[in-house]
Amino acid sequence: MTASPELDAPRQASPELLRSVFRQHAAGVAVITAAGDRPVGFTATSLNSVAAEPPLISFGVGTSSSSWPVLAEAEHVGVHILGEHQQELAATFARSGADRFGPSTYWRSGPEGVPVLGGVLAWLVCRVVARVPAGDHRIVIAQVVAGDPAGVGRPLLYHQGRFNALRD
């Protein structure tokens, strides 16, 4: 084995190492919503397809998130795939203390009473089947019960700490 000039000395595991590595990973941007006394939602880049039969998805949520108390009890969640034209919506749902469901956010009550956002590329309403402890987060696994993939446009991405669009 020969030394490669591209390989630096490994760094010890830390939250900063994980964040630094994942800044190199482009991820799709989604907004997760749930109904409570007031609707809640947050921007997520941890959305994954888990299985096709039954149709399952997963996402991570921090237990210190303002949305967590509602998500911890919610039977259903909304999953929204954002388009490249929705950077401001993504930023609103990512910003602490923002009025996420205020006048600038187009939404309605959808299946199972879940807040469904307008203008997205696609959305799902899912029944929560598990909340798995994972450090300071929970991995939520949910089964799809309804949705619409008919939005138009290209997906919004998150890379290097900012929102981006696909380039051809």
Side-chain angles (χ1 to χ4, degrees):
M1 179 185 263
T2 60
S4 170
E6 299 88 37
L7 294 177
D8 291 332
R11 293 168 39 190
Q12 292 298 311
S14 69
E16 183 51 39
L17 173 63
L18 184 67
R19 283 190 286 272
S20 295
V21 168
F22 272 86
R23 282 187 194 107
Q24 301 296 338
H25 175 69
V29 180
V31 168
I32 309 299
T33 61
D37 291 338
R38 293 179 20 180
V40 299
F42 66 97
T43 300
T45 56
S46 60
L47 179 64
N48 290 290
S49 169
V50 174
E53 190 57 44
L56 296 171
I57 60 94
S58 71
F59 60 87
V61 58
T63 56
S64 63
S65 160
S66 62
S67 298
W68 173 244
V70 172
L71 287 164
E73 303 294 327
E75 292 184 27
H76 293 87
V77 294
V79 176
H80 308 83
I81 307 300
L82 300 191
E84 64 185 2
H85 63 285
Q86 295 180 301
Q87 289 187 21
E88 186 54 42
L89 182 66
T92 296
F93 276 83
R95 195 169 28 250
S96 180
D99 185 4
R100 296 173 179 160
F101 292 90
S104 65
T105 302
Y106 174 70
W107 67 280
R108 64 179 173 80
S109 182
E112 305 296 337
V114 172
V116 173
L117 303 176
V120 297
L121 297 186
W123 60 268
L124 298 168
V125 169
C126 304
R127 181 179 57 81
V128 174
V129 297
R131 293 173 185 88
V132 181
D136 62 355
H137 279 61
R138 295 296 181 269
I139 305 302
V140 177
I141 301 172
Q143 185 171 350
V144 176
V145 297
D148 185 356
V152 177
R154 294 163 56 112
L156 181 62
L157 300 178
Y158 191 74
H159 180 250
Q160 289 290 347
R162 61 188 181 98
F163 298 115
N164 290 277
L166 287 175
R167 286 184 285 196
D168 292 327

